[in-house]
Amino acid sequence: MDYAATTPVDPRVVEAMLPYFTEKFGNSASLHSVGQEAEAVLESCRRKVAKLLGARPSEIFFTSGGTESDNMALKGIALANKNRGKHIITSQIEHHAVLHPAEWLEKQGFRVTYLPVDKYGMVDPASVERTISEDTILVSIMHANNEIGTIEPIEEIGKICRKGGVYFHTDAVQSVGKIPVSLKHIDILSSSGHKIYGPKGVGIIFIKEGTKIEPIIHGGGHEHGMHSGTENIAGIVGYTKALELCIKEMKPETKKLLKFRKRLIEEIDKIPDCWLNGHPEKRLPGNVHFCFRFIEGESLILLLDQKGIEASTGSACSSKSLKPSHVLTAIGLKPEEAHGSLRLTMGRFTTQEDVERVIKVLPGIVERLRKISPLGK
Ligand code: PLP
């Protein structure tokens, strides 16, 4: 129940990767045949990923994952376009892999607007349009939110950006491979392997041809100078196979997840004093996100874990202060409401049995915690 955090590597992906750890271990920069074999497989992966996403091979660059791709997008665009403008637009509910680079850029003299969202976590495209000024160089709005699963209107936002002559980046780490993604109105996109049944530490950045962007990692000039460092061929083969399987199996997988999501939402909704967060329909098929009054998310997670159910909560508990999730406060929850959050995220290997198990144990755990809660009730 924590597939949004990470996914197991699909056995078919492991099988595809294995030869690249042993007999096919070459460095793609070497001139000999073992190196050239690595180079050939690297370029074949690039072509496959490009075809799967609807891009040109020259627009796909392999990276170490979502965080790095997001950093490359924000810092790379800022560095290359600072003479044109110093304003960046993003939203209040982005992943920290976008928010923290944005905050860092503020320290370097850039101005960043963090757009608010509505109660479902939706960015209003009209607010993007209103905020774009002469000085704006980049808009970065995620495709699907990692906590509450809301799917953002990126097509409309992309069109607005293109009309305004502003680059549009989307963090699609939670959406690529799970829902259809069109690159038509996107200039830069981030994706990560470990969210799509591929290995950790590998991802891609799509950069539309003609985009003015600076690399942030310099060295041997790999990935056409955009990302120096010996390529992680096994990881790249894994990412490619994982993406291929996700796209091939998206329809039946989505159907299964929508059925599970509906069942979970209907049943959890029967528990008193709780509510669903995120958009009721425009949300990731495998995402269920509730808040329960009068309890703390951490206790909920620990008790669920004792029952063999791994889930997640949005609040981060430190010894002195309880810091609620920035996503939940952005959708208008009070800190005390945000504390009792539970994220259940399902995926390829989730079974009906798993779903029924949550439905069976969750009400009792919530009741037990409320009895001992100092938070009221
Ligand atoms: N962006 C989003 C929306 C995510 O959910 C994550 C992972 O949690 C990341 C970025 C970071 O990706 P990675 O773990 O590959 O660095």
Side-chain angles (χ1 to χ4, degrees):
M1 291 289 153
D2 204 11
Y3 275 80
T6 195
T7 59
V9 182
D10 189 297
R12 293 167 292 180
V13 172
V14 176
E15 199 192 343
M17 290 172 69
L18 282 176
Y20 297 94
F21 290 109
T22 50
E23 73 262 33
K24 299 180 179 179
F25 64 89
N27 182 330
S28 67
S30 305
L31 285 179
H32 49 65
S33 52
V34 180
Q36 286 315 294
E37 192 179 13
E39 169 72 8
V41 79
L42 170 67
E43 292 314 317
S44 138
C45 286
R46 200 185 309 284
R47 282 193 299 275
K48 273 190 204 159
V49 170
K51 193 160 180 225
L52 288 164
L53 294 179
R56 295 186 180 99
S58 58
E59 296 174 322
I60 301 295
F61 302 86
F62 292 104
T63 69
S64 77
T67 303
E68 192 176 50
S69 298
D70 286 345
N71 272 266
M72 285 167 76
L74 271 85
K75 296 174 185 170
I77 289 289
L79 283 172
N81 297 276
K82 60 178 189 290
N83 293 333
R84 221 186 82 204
K86 289 206 147 187
H87 180 222
I88 293 165
I89 300 171
T90 185
S91 84
Q92 290 176 0
I93 63 159
E94 297 301 310
H95 192 273
H96 286 133
V98 165
L99 289 178
H100 289 166
E103 286 160 15
W104 181 82
L105 284 167
E106 280 187 283
K107 287 190 206 139
Q108 314 307 312
F110 288 85
R111 185 167 63 86
V112 182
T113 304
Y114 300 89
L115 291 177
V117 291
D118 69 9
K119 65 176 176 177
Y120 298 127
M122 280 278 184
V123 174
D124 179 5
S127 74
V128 176
E129 194 160 22
R130 277 195 304 273
T131 314
I132 290 178
S133 70
E134 289 272 291
D135 200 31
T136 311
I137 49 173
L138 175 72
V139 172
S140 177
I141 304 290
M142 69 199 323
H143 191 190
N145 184 265
N146 48 298
E147 282 188 46
I148 56 176
T150 297
I151 299 167
E152 301 295 339
I154 58 162
E155 202 178 318
E156 279 172 85
I157 297 172
K159 280 184 197 164
I160 289 166
C161 293
R162 199 138 292 167
K163 202 174 84 187
V166 173
Y167 287 126
F168 178 47
H169 165 247
T170 191
D171 174 341
V173 167
Q174 292 289 347
S175 65
V176 164
K178 296 179 193 167
I179 55 172
V181 177
S182 160
L183 294 176
K184 195 161 173 219
H185 305 287
I186 295 169
D187 297 306
I188 312 161
L189 173 140
S190 311
S191 158
S192 173
H194 75 101
K195 310 285 185 182
I196 58 168
Y197 313 94
K200 292 171 180 60
V202 62
I204 62 137
I205 184 167
F206 155 80
I207 304 173
K208 195 178 166 61
E209 217 167 82
T211 302
K212 229 177 129 201
I213 185 164
E214 278 287 325
I216 58 167
I217 294 172
H218 302 92
H222 306 74
E223 298 293 292
H224 304 290
M226 264 316 291
H227 187 267
S228 285
T230 303
E231 284 98 351
N232 169 11
I233 300 290
I236 289 168
V237 167
Y239 175 89
T240 308
K241 183 72 183 172
L243 181 66
E244 192 184 326
L245 292 172
C246 277
I247 291 180
K248 203 164 114 204
E249 296 172 5
M250 193 183 286
K251 259 199 181 151
E253 214 158 286
T254 302
K255 197 170 162 213
K256 176 190 87 168
L257 292 175
L258 287 177
K259 192 179 92 181
F260 290 173
R261 189 180 83 184
K262 185 166 179 278
R263 170 115 181 98
L264 270 179
I265 292 178
E266 276 171 11
E267 290 302 313
I268 296 175
D269 222 19
K270 292 179 185 162
I271 299 173
D273 289 311
C274 75
W275 66 90
L276 179 74
N277 294 303
H279 199 282
E281 288 113 35
K282 289 174 191 159
R283 71 186 301 135
L284 289 170
N287 176 293
V288 171
H289 192 291
F290 271 86
C291 272
F292 298 88
R293 262 189 230 285
F294 317 119
I295 55 175
E296 278 170 20
E298 285 84 357
S299 323
L300 194 51
I301 299 310
L302 293 177
L303 291 194
L304 281 170
D305 194 33
Q306 279 180 9
K307 299 278 183 189
I309 298 165
E310 293 93 22
S312 169
T313 182
S315 57
C317 183
S318 74
S319 55
K320 287 206 179 108
S321 68
L322 273 170
K323 202 164 166 253
S325 137
H326 67 285
V327 176
L328 299 182
T329 47
I331 61 170
L333 300 190
K334 298 190 190 99
E336 63 270 25
E337 291 174 330
H339 283 317
S341 71
L342 174 68
R343 181 185 73 177
L344 300 167
T345 47
M346 301 168 284
R348 183 169 297 162
F349 306 107
T350 309
T351 62
Q352 183 83 46
E353 229 172 40
D354 296 331
V355 173
E356 298 309 320
R357 194 161 162 66
V358 173
I359 291 169
K360 190 162 169 236
V361 305
L362 185 61
I365 291 179
V366 171
E367 199 185 325
R368 196 174 138 200
L369 285 173
R370 281 181 177 158
K371 278 198 185 123
I372 56 164
S373 168
L375 299 172
K377 193 116 196 188

